[in-house]
Amino acid sequence: MTNMSRDVLHTLSSTSIEKCMSCGRCSASCPVADEMNIMPHQFVALLKRREVEKLMESNTLWKCLSCFACIERCPRGVEPAKIVEASRLAVIRQQGESHISADEIPKYLESESDLPQQLLVSAFRKYRG
Amino acid sequence: MKRIGVFVCHCGTNIAATVDVVKVVEAAKLEPGVVHAAEYPYLCSEAGQNMIIKAVDEFGLTGVVVSACSPRMHETTFRKAAAKAGLNPFMVEISNIREQCSWIHKDSKDGTEKSIILTRAAIAKVHLNEPLHPGESKVTKRALVIGGGIAGIQTALDIAEAGFPVDIVESTPSIGGKMAQLDKTFPTLDCSACILTPKMVDAAAHENITLHTYSEIEKVEGFVGDFTITIRKKARYVDMKNCTGCGLCYEKCPVKKAPSEFEQGLIKRTAIYTPFAQAVPNVPVIDKTQCIKLKTGKCGLCEKVCTPKAIVFDQQDELITEKYGAVIIATGYDQISLEKFGEYSYNSPDVITGLEFERLTNAAGPTGGDLIRLSDKKKPRSVTFIQCIGSRDTSKRGKPYCSKICCMYTAKHAMLIRDKYPQIEVNVFYIDVRTPGKNFDEFYRRSAEEYGVNYIKGQVGKIIDQGEFLTLQSVDMLGGKRMDLQTDLVVLATAIEPVKSVRIIASMLTASIDTNNFMTEAHPKLKPVESPTAGVFLSGVCQGPKDIPETVAQAGATAAKVIGLLVKDKLMTNPCTAESNEKFCNGCSACTKVCPYGAIAYDDGIVHVNKALCQGCGACAVTCPSGAMDLQGFSNRQLMAEVDAICR
């Protein structure tokens, strides 16, 4: 983790961590918090402290189900799942793994696989190098 | 041409740090009619006021402009200073260069420019100011308190003790309010009823207090010192004079299925009922939505057993009209609805609110004070409290404010359980424990240290009712672990909100209310018990969350302010009232329709403004299509002169 700053994550996730009052309702609501080495409320706290590297290395990124229970129940509108999602994207992009390139898109569109266009758009967003 | 003096205030650094006051003075000097301009660090100070008084004499000023804070803050101060100097007080104009300039502009250049423009506008207005003379209005020496909880009772008692008659209007059948429902009170754990009921009896017995229970405000007319208010006394179907309060009627009533409001719906009551044993007045009411006789014409058992013949099935609502000099809003609070908080399983009988717990632990409550699970009547092995349910919640479900009373009542509840049943384990999930108050933190710490209450920093995400017990999906933030805590009874510290009807009452009294439905005070620090509407005062939780000690203190303060008004024989009226120019009036009567005070009479093609009723709001002046209606002190010409000066 080198050039990823808190502010970049902030922008990526478009959330306001300053609103967090550390109530813990996100972690209490999370169905997989048990398996995370950094629970949702800790995730927000670490981001507040700019300890971005810890977030990038945590298994939370891969355990989070994106069920959005934390977002639903947060009384302050902090949206922890969006921060996890932003961190996940940041890691994926950084790893430079390119699973899809712009040139390939027409091929998928023309194929008879009937892939939804939305899927292609989101895959392109997530998995391009 | 008027001889105008302009005085620019630094307000310490409040204004001067952003606005270049010297530039404002220099600019003011260039305005026509300005013969003197000066700046001063604190114009509102005695020295500052003396500077103005001296300048009026020295330069022969006939008009004064003060560029300082909001006129709501110090307009009266400077008008008084002008009067001392021999000027008519209405020859003073304020330009607000603090709230409207220095406090909102970061850039000094912008702030200064706007200050100069606003000062210029005030100078332009002063040129057209005419001396005005306030009239007098009478003060009806009687107060009305809306709400008969501890806030209303205390305010009424204090006013009555000072010798003025007070009426209390209470919407439920008895006075007492929420405090009557409570078991013990923090931080001393004395019995709530023991300290409240004597006050209730005092209020009922006081020669200066008239109780109107089961009554509501129907209509408000008039203004400070001279309100005319219509009260609707809802039909009780019981004659208050004849009833002896023996209670035979509700013993015999066959309807036993109505949820008891006083017991928070935990048990049922009869159709004819008194809300609780110590009710004042101790006269039952018939709930017409439940009574068989009133619904079908059959039954009438209560009537048959009532020996003093107090049951009156054909009783109608009664309207009483009375004059008051002051009105006190003391309408109190309710707990918010938990409908939108599905994850807390409030529909489970073993998940209750703080107020329901009060009834459950109260010796006079539905279980005689025996703490049991309402589902299986078993004694809980553990009780878990969850704080901040719907409080400090900026989502659409909750309230953004702290409800203030929950931390302390939860510590109290927890302590009461541990004291009575040491074998029951008690947990409290908290976000922050807030205990600022005399002996409050000591009280909270005692619950943890001496009574062994288990405080867990964290929250509950979801409550799952599993029959035998409840599972709380939760987190212990200090321990850094997720938990599935099993417990037998959950108490939700539910947010409080002003009663819904306060909006209607506020609009009848034209008193302002904030986005959370709390009544707005005239000044958050300096006028905390007055509403911005003259003659309307605030007491208790209607103004903001507060506990009993604070409510009683505020109630006394409110009473003092009301007494201060009622001892006056006459009030000075605001001379800035509307006036119609007969020559321009085309008789359309549009003004009579917009006047919120009913101050404009339409007679034979022309209108006439009743100066005693007019509050100078200006609605008529902006409505008048022919420009006949004008507001003294804010005439159309004056306002246009200000606009011209701003646009110059």
PDB file of all heavy atoms in Angstrom, chain B residues 142-157:
ATOM      1  N   ARG B 142     -54.517  37.108  34.886  1.00  0.00           N
ATOM      2  CA  ARG B 142     -54.856  35.701  35.001  1.00  0.00           C
ATOM      3  C   ARG B 142     -53.976  34.948  33.997  1.00  0.00           C
ATOM      4  O   ARG B 142     -53.752  35.415  32.885  1.00  0.00           O
ATOM      5  CB  ARG B 142     -56.337  35.515  34.645  1.00  0.00           C
ATOM      6  CG  ARG B 142     -56.846  34.110  34.854  1.00  0.00           C
ATOM      7  CD  ARG B 142     -58.332  34.008  34.488  1.00  0.00           C
ATOM      8  NE  ARG B 142     -58.864  32.771  35.014  1.00  0.00           N
ATOM      9  CZ  ARG B 142     -59.486  32.688  36.192  1.00  0.00           C
ATOM     10  NH1 ARG B 142     -59.672  33.753  36.916  1.00  0.00           N
ATOM     11  NH2 ARG B 142     -59.909  31.520  36.612  1.00  0.00           N
ATOM     12  N   ALA B 143     -53.460  33.802  34.404  1.00  0.00           N
ATOM     13  CA  ALA B 143     -52.585  33.040  33.509  1.00  0.00           C
ATOM     14  C   ALA B 143     -53.217  31.707  33.149  1.00  0.00           C
ATOM     15  O   ALA B 143     -53.990  31.144  33.924  1.00  0.00           O
ATOM     16  CB  ALA B 143     -51.233  32.806  34.174  1.00  0.00           C
ATOM     17  N   LEU B 144     -52.867  31.220  31.959  1.00  0.00           N
ATOM     18  CA  LEU B 144     -53.338  29.908  31.525  1.00  0.00           C
ATOM     19  C   LEU B 144     -52.131  28.993  31.335  1.00  0.00           C
ATOM     20  O   LEU B 144     -51.179  29.343  30.638  1.00  0.00           O
ATOM     21  CB  LEU B 144     -54.089  30.024  30.192  1.00  0.00           C
ATOM     22  CG  LEU B 144     -54.479  28.694  29.556  1.00  0.00           C
ATOM     23  CD1 LEU B 144     -55.574  28.011  30.369  1.00  0.00           C
ATOM     24  CD2 LEU B 144     -54.951  28.884  28.124  1.00  0.00           C
ATOM     25  N   VAL B 145     -52.162  27.826  31.974  1.00  0.00           N
ATOM     26  CA  VAL B 145     -51.092  26.850  31.794  1.00  0.00           C
ATOM     27  C   VAL B 145     -51.646  25.702  30.959  1.00  0.00           C
ATOM     28  O   VAL B 145     -52.659  25.102  31.320  1.00  0.00           O
ATOM     29  CB  VAL B 145     -50.596  26.316  33.155  1.00  0.00           C
ATOM     30  CG1 VAL B 145     -49.556  25.214  32.945  1.00  0.00           C
ATOM     31  CG2 VAL B 145     -50.012  27.436  33.998  1.00  0.00           C
ATOM     32  N   ILE B 146     -50.981  25.412  29.834  1.00  0.00           N
ATOM     33  CA  ILE B 146     -51.442  24.315  28.987  1.00  0.00           C
ATOM     34  C   ILE B 146     -50.600  23.090  29.296  1.00  0.00           C
ATOM     35  O   ILE B 146     -49.413  23.038  28.968  1.00  0.00           O
ATOM     36  CB  ILE B 146     -51.360  24.681  27.490  1.00  0.00           C
ATOM     37  CG1 ILE B 146     -52.111  25.992  27.226  1.00  0.00           C
ATOM     38  CG2 ILE B 146     -51.916  23.556  26.622  1.00  0.00           C
ATOM     39  CD1 ILE B 146     -51.942  26.536  25.822  1.00  0.00           C
ATOM     40  N   GLY B 147     -51.179  22.124  29.943  1.00  0.00           N
ATOM     41  CA  GLY B 147     -50.463  20.914  30.323  1.00  0.00           C
ATOM     42  C   GLY B 147     -50.363  20.813  31.833  1.00  0.00           C
ATOM     43  O   GLY B 147     -49.910  21.738  32.507  1.00  0.00           O
ATOM     44  N   GLY B 148     -50.795  19.681  32.360  1.00  0.00           N
ATOM     45  CA  GLY B 148     -50.835  19.522  33.819  1.00  0.00           C
ATOM     46  C   GLY B 148     -49.864  18.487  34.348  1.00  0.00           C
ATOM     47  O   GLY B 148     -50.151  17.761  35.295  1.00  0.00           O
ATOM     48  N   GLY B 149     -48.693  18.412  33.726  1.00  0.00           N
ATOM     49  CA  GLY B 149     -47.642  17.553  34.272  1.00  0.00           C
ATOM     50  C   GLY B 149     -46.883  18.318  35.343  1.00  0.00           C
ATOM     51  O   GLY B 149     -47.324  19.384  35.797  1.00  0.00           O
ATOM     52  N   ILE B 150     -45.728  17.810  35.740  1.00  0.00           N
ATOM     53  CA  ILE B 150     -44.972  18.466  36.799  1.00  0.00           C
ATOM     54  C   ILE B 150     -44.591  19.887  36.398  1.00  0.00           C
ATOM     55  O   ILE B 150     -44.621  20.809  37.231  1.00  0.00           O
ATOM     56  CB  ILE B 150     -43.732  17.634  37.243  1.00  0.00           C
ATOM     57  CG1 ILE B 150     -42.963  18.319  38.367  1.00  0.00           C
ATOM     58  CG2 ILE B 150     -42.809  17.301  36.090  1.00  0.00           C
ATOM     59  CD1 ILE B 150     -43.751  18.536  39.636  1.00  0.00           C
ATOM     60  N   ALA B 151     -44.275  20.116  35.103  1.00  0.00           N
ATOM     61  CA  ALA B 151     -43.913  21.465  34.647  1.00  0.00           C
ATOM     62  C   ALA B 151     -45.084  22.414  34.842  1.00  0.00           C
ATOM     63  O   ALA B 151     -44.941  23.497  35.426  1.00  0.00           O
ATOM     64  CB  ALA B 151     -43.495  21.435  33.180  1.00  0.00           C
ATOM     65  N   GLY B 152     -46.257  22.015  34.359  1.00  0.00           N
ATOM     66  CA  GLY B 152     -47.438  22.873  34.436  1.00  0.00           C
ATOM     67  C   GLY B 152     -47.885  23.084  35.874  1.00  0.00           C
ATOM     68  O   GLY B 152     -48.231  24.200  36.272  1.00  0.00           O
ATOM     69  N   ILE B 153     -47.856  22.009  36.665  1.00  0.00           N
ATOM     70  CA  ILE B 153     -48.302  22.106  38.060  1.00  0.00           C
ATOM     71  C   ILE B 153     -47.406  23.088  38.826  1.00  0.00           C
ATOM     72  O   ILE B 153     -47.868  23.972  39.528  1.00  0.00           O
ATOM     73  CB  ILE B 153     -48.269  20.714  38.744  1.00  0.00           C
ATOM     74  CG1 ILE B 153     -49.343  19.810  38.153  1.00  0.00           C
ATOM     75  CG2 ILE B 153     -48.471  20.851  40.254  1.00  0.00           C
ATOM     76  CD1 ILE B 153     -49.283  18.356  38.642  1.00  0.00           C
ATOM     77  N   GLN B 154     -46.088  22.925  38.669  1.00  0.00           N
ATOM     78  CA  GLN B 154     -45.152  23.777  39.396  1.00  0.00           C
ATOM     79  C   GLN B 154     -45.291  25.238  38.970  1.00  0.00           C
ATOM     80  O   GLN B 154     -45.304  26.135  39.819  1.00  0.00           O
ATOM     81  CB  GLN B 154     -43.709  23.293  39.192  1.00  0.00           C
ATOM     82  CG  GLN B 154     -42.691  24.006  40.058  1.00  0.00           C
ATOM     83  CD  GLN B 154     -42.947  23.762  41.542  1.00  0.00           C
ATOM     84  OE1 GLN B 154     -43.124  22.619  41.964  1.00  0.00           O
ATOM     85  NE2 GLN B 154     -43.000  24.824  42.330  1.00  0.00           N
ATOM     86  N   THR B 155     -45.396  25.472  37.657  1.00  0.00           N
ATOM     87  CA  THR B 155     -45.550  26.855  37.185  1.00  0.00           C
ATOM     88  C   THR B 155     -46.830  27.455  37.771  1.00  0.00           C
ATOM     89  O   THR B 155     -46.828  28.578  38.280  1.00  0.00           O
ATOM     90  CB  THR B 155     -45.613  26.892  35.641  1.00  0.00           C
ATOM     91  OG1 THR B 155     -44.490  26.184  35.119  1.00  0.00           O
ATOM     92  CG2 THR B 155     -45.570  28.304  35.113  1.00  0.00           C
ATOM     93  N   ALA B 156     -47.922  26.677  37.716  1.00  0.00           N
ATOM     94  CA  ALA B 156     -49.206  27.178  38.208  1.00  0.00           C
ATOM     95  C   ALA B 156     -49.135  27.474  39.707  1.00  0.00           C
ATOM     96  O   ALA B 156     -49.607  28.515  40.166  1.00  0.00           O
ATOM     97  CB  ALA B 156     -50.301  26.165  37.903  1.00  0.00           C
ATOM     98  N   LEU B 157     -48.526  26.557  40.460  1.00  0.00           N
ATOM     99  CA  LEU B 157     -48.435  26.762  41.915  1.00  0.00           C
ATOM    100  C   LEU B 157     -47.666  28.035  42.235  1.00  0.00           C
ATOM    101  O   LEU B 157     -48.071  28.820  43.095  1.00  0.00           O
ATOM    102  CB  LEU B 157     -47.745  25.559  42.579  1.00  0.00           C
ATOM    103  CG  LEU B 157     -48.615  24.323  42.835  1.00  0.00           C
ATOM    104  CD1 LEU B 157     -47.753  23.152  43.294  1.00  0.00           C
ATOM    105  CD2 LEU B 157     -49.702  24.619  43.860  1.00  0.00           C
TER     106      LEU B 157
END
